[in-house]
Amino acid sequence: LNEFETSFYADYYTTDGARLFINADQMSLYDENTSGIFPPISLAPGSFREEQEQFNFSYKFKYLDFTLHGGFFSKHWGPFLTEGYILNEESTEEVEHSYLALEYQRFFTERLEFSGKMYADVFGGERSEQVAPGITLSTPSDEWFVYPNGLVWKYRANGWRIGGETQINYRLFTNNDLTVGAAYEYLAVEDFRIRTNEFNYIRGFPPDELHDLADLIPDVQTSSYQTVVSVFVQDKWKIRQNVDLTLGVRGDLFSDLEENWGLGGVTPKVGITYQPKSNLNIMSIEVSTNSLY
């Protein structure tokens, strides 16, 4: 509509998952070691389905040199094989993510281009795992401790981030473009919690009580905050009509390194693209390395 453009995208996906067969899992080893002492608890050999359901929605509004875009994503997953490949029927994961970004791009001259963006993200997730009903462990006093409903872990975390980036592209001469830019980002992960009954056999708690890991380990970190400031420069040179060479370097400063600010890394970049025909790109090589200090 004149200078105004808009677009929307939506996707919904659901599946019961493929029927996957597991011949043995971590609890199979437990059953072998306790054979004739305790009843077997492994569900293997057996099959499971990784059920999934997810929804993705995004949008974009563009007017003159400004572009606003964002979206929302949610996902449900489970049951799945837990860490250690333990077959179970009580594992789930929920994830949600919302984001918004405003971008500005303008050519001041035929050789000078300025672009910048600001963005914000909000994300959160929960994960629940319950495995090995009936598992029996030995307490520090050499007594047997039974988990009738198995070992349970419940994870939860929420976070957000804001940031911005600006860069200037300048054509030094024909077939050579120089890019200089800087970026800023603030990331916060809050309300990170782990509740479990895994250590109840050591502390003498009832088997089904869930306890916050922060209460069991007072020094555990439940929140994290980080600021990152970055600068970068890149030069792209069309050596021949079908050969492009790119050289660049990026430096990052992190607020949570050392006592105040620490250099997180310097990343050089080398890239070459060879295109034998105008409609065929058969080779693209990019090499980068990160040097930590």
Side-chain angles (χ1 to χ4, degrees), residues 251-254 257-258 261-266 291-293:
D252 298 290
L253 288 172
F254 294 86
L257 292 182
E258 300 179 354
W261 285 82
L263 182 61
V266 176
S291 301
L292 298 179
Y293 293 87

mmCIF file of all heavy atoms in Angstrom, residues 251-254 257-258 261-266 291-293:
data_model
loop_
_atom_site.group_PDB
_atom_site.id
_atom_site.type_symbol
_atom_site.label_atom_id
_atom_site.label_comp_id
_atom_site.label_asym_id
_atom_site.label_seq_id
_atom_site.Cartn_x
_atom_site.Cartn_y
_atom_site.Cartn_z
ATOM 1 N N GLY A 251 35.703 -8.211 17.920
ATOM 2 C CA GLY A 251 36.110 -8.287 19.320
ATOM 3 C C GLY A 251 34.903 -8.134 20.231
ATOM 4 O O GLY A 251 34.000 -7.344 19.955
ATOM 5 N N ASP A 252 34.878 -8.917 21.330
ATOM 6 C CA ASP A 252 33.751 -8.897 22.265
ATOM 7 C C ASP A 252 34.251 -8.667 23.685
ATOM 8 O O ASP A 252 35.216 -9.300 24.124
ATOM 9 C CB ASP A 252 32.981 -10.225 22.214
ATOM 10 C CG ASP A 252 32.372 -10.493 20.851
ATOM 11 O OD1 ASP A 252 31.417 -9.788 20.493
ATOM 12 O OD2 ASP A 252 32.857 -11.401 20.161
ATOM 13 N N LEU A 253 33.569 -7.789 24.405
ATOM 14 C CA LEU A 253 33.829 -7.538 25.817
ATOM 15 C C LEU A 253 32.637 -8.024 26.631
ATOM 16 O O LEU A 253 31.492 -7.690 26.316
ATOM 17 C CB LEU A 253 34.061 -6.043 26.077
ATOM 18 C CG LEU A 253 35.375 -5.444 25.569
ATOM 19 C CD1 LEU A 253 35.348 -3.927 25.733
ATOM 20 C CD2 LEU A 253 36.566 -6.035 26.318
ATOM 21 N N PHE A 254 32.900 -8.808 27.685
ATOM 22 C CA PHE A 254 31.851 -9.378 28.514
ATOM 23 C C PHE A 254 31.949 -8.828 29.931
ATOM 24 O O PHE A 254 33.035 -8.787 30.510
ATOM 25 C CB PHE A 254 31.968 -10.909 28.558
ATOM 26 C CG PHE A 254 31.706 -11.582 27.240
ATOM 27 C CD1 PHE A 254 32.720 -11.744 26.317
ATOM 28 C CD2 PHE A 254 30.444 -12.049 26.929
ATOM 29 C CE1 PHE A 254 32.483 -12.367 25.109
ATOM 30 C CE2 PHE A 254 30.193 -12.670 25.723
ATOM 31 C CZ PHE A 254 31.214 -12.833 24.806
ATOM 32 N N LEU A 257 33.216 -11.431 32.916
ATOM 33 C CA LEU A 257 34.535 -12.027 32.898
ATOM 34 C C LEU A 257 35.477 -11.204 33.765
ATOM 35 O O LEU A 257 35.440 -9.977 33.744
ATOM 36 C CB LEU A 257 35.096 -12.106 31.474
ATOM 37 C CG LEU A 257 34.390 -13.085 30.529
ATOM 38 C CD1 LEU A 257 35.079 -13.090 29.182
ATOM 39 C CD2 LEU A 257 34.394 -14.500 31.108
ATOM 40 N N GLU A 258 36.325 -11.891 34.514
ATOM 41 C CA GLU A 258 37.250 -11.269 35.444
ATOM 42 C C GLU A 258 36.460 -10.448 36.462
ATOM 43 O O GLU A 258 35.292 -10.710 36.734
ATOM 44 C CB GLU A 258 38.288 -10.435 34.686
ATOM 45 C CG GLU A 258 39.123 -11.280 33.717
ATOM 46 C CD GLU A 258 40.135 -10.446 32.959
ATOM 47 O OE1 GLU A 258 40.136 -9.213 33.077
ATOM 48 O OE2 GLU A 258 40.954 -11.055 32.235
ATOM 49 N N TRP A 261 35.327 -6.022 33.586
ATOM 50 C CA TRP A 261 35.112 -6.346 32.192
ATOM 51 C C TRP A 261 36.292 -7.164 31.690
ATOM 52 O O TRP A 261 37.435 -6.908 32.031
ATOM 53 C CB TRP A 261 34.977 -5.074 31.345
ATOM 54 C CG TRP A 261 33.657 -4.398 31.535
ATOM 55 C CD1 TRP A 261 33.299 -3.558 32.546
ATOM 56 C CD2 TRP A 261 32.523 -4.516 30.706
ATOM 57 N NE1 TRP A 261 32.007 -3.152 32.410
ATOM 58 C CE2 TRP A 261 31.494 -3.719 31.268
ATOM 59 C CE3 TRP A 261 32.245 -5.220 29.527
ATOM 60 C CZ2 TRP A 261 30.244 -3.599 30.707
ATOM 61 C CZ3 TRP A 261 30.994 -5.088 28.965
ATOM 62 C CH2 TRP A 261 30.012 -4.293 29.553
ATOM 63 N N GLY A 262 36.011 -8.153 30.867
ATOM 64 C CA GLY A 262 37.075 -8.976 30.318
ATOM 65 C C GLY A 262 36.889 -9.165 28.827
ATOM 66 O O GLY A 262 35.766 -9.168 28.313
ATOM 67 N N LEU A 263 37.999 -9.310 28.134
ATOM 68 C CA LEU A 263 37.958 -9.540 26.696
ATOM 69 C C LEU A 263 37.562 -10.984 26.451
ATOM 70 O O LEU A 263 38.307 -11.909 26.766
ATOM 71 C CB LEU A 263 39.328 -9.245 26.074
ATOM 72 C CG LEU A 263 39.432 -9.402 24.554
ATOM 73 C CD1 LEU A 263 38.478 -8.439 23.860
ATOM 74 C CD2 LEU A 263 40.864 -9.150 24.095
ATOM 75 N N GLY A 264 36.357 -11.181 25.911
ATOM 76 C CA GLY A 264 35.869 -12.533 25.705
ATOM 77 C C GLY A 264 36.497 -13.226 24.525
ATOM 78 O O GLY A 264 36.647 -14.437 24.500
ATOM 79 N N GLY A 265 36.905 -12.483 23.518
ATOM 80 C CA GLY A 265 37.510 -13.149 22.374
ATOM 81 C C GLY A 265 37.683 -12.209 21.209
ATOM 82 O O GLY A 265 36.986 -11.200 21.081
ATOM 83 N N VAL A 266 38.658 -12.527 20.384
ATOM 84 C CA VAL A 266 38.886 -11.843 19.114
ATOM 85 C C VAL A 266 38.718 -12.881 18.023
ATOM 86 O O VAL A 266 39.395 -13.913 18.029
ATOM 87 C CB VAL A 266 40.286 -11.206 19.062
ATOM 88 C CG1 VAL A 266 40.526 -10.587 17.690
ATOM 89 C CG2 VAL A 266 40.446 -10.157 20.159
ATOM 90 N N SER A 291 39.998 -16.494 19.500
ATOM 91 C CA SER A 291 41.134 -16.468 20.423
ATOM 92 C C SER A 291 40.686 -15.892 21.739
ATOM 93 O O SER A 291 40.275 -14.731 21.810
ATOM 94 C CB SER A 291 42.261 -15.608 19.824
ATOM 95 O OG SER A 291 42.670 -16.115 18.581
ATOM 96 N N LEU A 292 40.705 -16.693 22.804
ATOM 97 C CA LEU A 292 40.249 -16.281 24.111
ATOM 98 C C LEU A 292 41.430 -15.758 24.934
ATOM 99 O O LEU A 292 42.524 -16.280 24.865
ATOM 100 C CB LEU A 292 39.586 -17.440 24.851
ATOM 101 C CG LEU A 292 38.327 -18.014 24.185
ATOM 102 C CD1 LEU A 292 37.803 -19.173 25.020
ATOM 103 C CD2 LEU A 292 37.271 -16.939 24.053
ATOM 104 N N TYR A 293 41.139 -14.723 25.729
ATOM 105 C CA TYR A 293 42.162 -14.158 26.603
ATOM 106 C C TYR A 293 41.651 -14.211 28.040
ATOM 107 O O TYR A 293 40.483 -14.006 28.280
ATOM 108 C CB TYR A 293 42.454 -12.698 26.220
ATOM 109 C CG TYR A 293 43.099 -12.562 24.866
ATOM 110 C CD1 TYR A 293 42.318 -12.487 23.715
ATOM 111 C CD2 TYR A 293 44.484 -12.525 24.722
ATOM 112 C CE1 TYR A 293 42.915 -12.367 22.461
ATOM 113 C CE2 TYR A 293 45.086 -12.395 23.491
ATOM 114 C CZ TYR A 293 44.305 -12.307 22.365
ATOM 115 O OH TYR A 293 44.882 -12.191 21.140
#
